[in-house]
Amino acid sequence: MGVELVALHWIYLLFIVLIIGFMVARKDTSLICIAGIFLLAAVATHSLSAAVSGVFNSFIYAITELLPTILVISIIVAMSKVLSATGINDVMISPFVRFIRTPAWAYWTIGILMMVISWFFWPSPAVALMGAVLLPAAVRVGLPALGVAMAMNLFGHGIALSGDFVIQGAPKLTADAAGLPVGDVIAASVPLVFVMGVVTTITAFYFLRRDMKRGRLTSGDAEIAATVDSMLEKTSHLMTGQTKKWLALLIPVLFALDVIAMFYLRLQGGEATALVGGTAIFILILISVLAHRQESFAEVTNYFIEGFQFGFKVFGPVIPIAAFFYLGDAGFVKIIGDYLPQASQGIVNDLGVALAHAVPLNNEVGAVTLTVVGAVTGLDGSGFSGISLAGSVAHLFSVAIGGGVATLTALGQIAAIWVGGGTLVPWALIPAAAICGVDPFELARRNLIPVAVGLVVTTVVAMFLL
């Protein structure tokens, strides 16, 4: 038998239920998480001052754990800003325009390119990097702007972000909550990301082609093409065309060398993130110096400011949530102190053992539950604010069913990000919808059936992998 459950366990479980309820109701969960942290600290220490301090200390702990992820994403966004300002992004993507000759080629070329770029730049910056160049080319060959938005959305905010193999922001959050090395979650997510991506994008393409043949969707986007073309004419002339070409070649080569170094030097997690982030910093500085010359000192700072504004805007809501879920494992002792029962292995572990004795769980129930939990946590529209919960629940269920924690964690991560990371929740679709000039609600409606089919198939596959 596991350790006897005390009031701290029941409070933690109660707040997990409350957090899920608030997410279903599309309410922000920061306040409820702070209340949970305060109550846990107050009950554990029997001290008001310690409880108040515990809330602040939990934020410090969460920020310390998340800082490498926040930092690398901020730097990547800062680098994407200078690429856009100088027009280098246009040069990087323009060779792929010649592959866009039919609507089908446009859909798959834009999607695959979006996926690859999103692995290194993250999806929202990637939309800005490539949308303005590839949208008019796709529209001219007959792919509706809505189809372009779907391709960028499903491949970028779906496949690339749910796996996040290079920057490793998503698996870092879920792995921490599940008490796993980030490499284990990434390895477990590969087959699930592949299945989800293939099923969803093929299903979406099938419905897209069907409606185009029936006349429900037509190109009819000449105005969009003209608008984007006029945008391209305003591309900054901060450097010569030849310099842009050399830099457009150098940048992917440097990131390719990073990937090779990760493989041969066996770099994962923080080490891999540091390599990508450091490379992005030097690329940002190099381009800024070449483009702005004497003003480069100030401009480098401005690009960093823009990047950090984006990073903390995205992760601001995540910090209180992550702070609460870190209390479910080793974070409790570090944040509040050694107040758990002597034989405790952490709140989540204790709950998992108790659940195993109380409910006859199996692989099927575990997989379905993690998909539902992941999807529910994605309803807030960020995709990231709830994946700590997915990791925590995966840990709990794995204890109950006797293993499979990495697969369950990856499954919850995939469900959360596909729903909330930018493919279903309308307010998370704005980047792709805005660059393509389409209604985000219509884009969400188009994505609904393909994503739902993908989640069902991926959940079934996960049952066999457990």
Side-chain angles (χ1 to χ4, degrees), residues 26-51:
R26 297 182 180 179
K27 302 293 184 181
D28 191 88
T29 57
S30 295
L31 185 58
I32 200 72
C33 288
I34 294 170
I37 297 167
F38 176 84
L39 189 56
L40 285 169
V43 171
T45 63
H46 302 288
S47 167
L48 179 60
S49 62

Side-chain angles (χ1 to χ4, degrees), residues 120-369:
F120 295 93
F121 293 91
W122 248 40
S124 293
V127 167
L129 283 172
M130 61 180 290
V133 180
L134 297 183
L135 174 62
V139 168
R140 289 191 195 100
V141 298
L143 182 66
L146 188 60
V148 178
M150 289 174 67
M152 291 199 294
N153 214 211
L154 297 176
F155 281 87
H157 291 88
I159 299 175
L161 190 59
S162 67
D164 200 7
F165 301 132
V166 178
I167 298 175
Q168 301 181 3
K172 167 72 171 141
L173 286 172
T174 46
D176 282 353
L180 291 172
V182 68
D184 290 0
V185 175
I186 292 174
S189 70
V190 170
L192 299 179
V193 169
F194 177 79
V195 170
M196 181 70 188
V198 169
V199 172
T200 304
T201 54
I202 290 177
T203 304
F205 182 69
Y206 167 78
F207 286 116
L208 184 66
R209 286 297 299 268
R210 184 198 66 180
D211 289 346
M212 288 174 65
K213 289 179 180 179
R214 293 179 178 179
R216 295 178 182 173
L217 273 178
T218 57
S219 181
D221 295 309
E223 292 184 7
I224 293 175
T227 300
V228 177
D229 283 343
S230 68
M231 290 168 55
L232 293 176
E233 290 175 2
K234 299 177 183 178
T235 300
S236 175
H237 299 287
L238 292 173
M239 57 178 60
T240 65
Q242 193 64 32
T243 304
K244 291 180 187 178
K245 290 179 181 178
W246 279 109
L247 290 171
L249 178 64
L250 176 64
I251 292 166
V253 167
L254 290 175
F255 281 118
L257 291 174
D258 280 353
V259 175
I260 294 170
M262 290 177 200
F263 178 77
Y264 282 104
L265 300 178
R266 300 183 183 277
L267 302 180
Q268 290 184 335
E271 293 177 325
T273 298
L275 183 62
V276 172
T279 302
I281 290 173
F282 283 105
I283 290 173
L284 186 155
I285 293 172
L286 173 64
I287 296 174
S288 297
V289 169
L290 292 175
H292 300 290
R293 296 178 175 83
Q294 291 91 343
E295 290 79 27
S296 61
F297 293 96
E299 291 300 328
V300 167
T301 302
N302 289 334
Y303 287 126
F304 277 128
I305 290 172
E306 288 189 70
F308 282 116
Q309 286 175 335
F310 177 89
F312 278 93
K313 183 178 180 180
V314 170
F315 278 89
V318 177
I319 290 169
I321 298 169
F324 174 80
F325 286 107
Y326 282 133
L327 293 178
D329 199 27
F332 189 96
V333 174
K334 295 180 180 178
I335 295 169
I336 297 176
D338 192 7
Y339 292 98
L340 292 171
Q342 188 173 358
S344 174
Q345 297 297 312
I347 293 177
V348 171
N349 262 334
D350 297 343
L351 288 170
V353 172
L355 186 64
H357 286 94
V359 181
L361 294 178
N362 53 39
N363 294 351
E364 291 74 18
V365 173
V368 171
T369 302

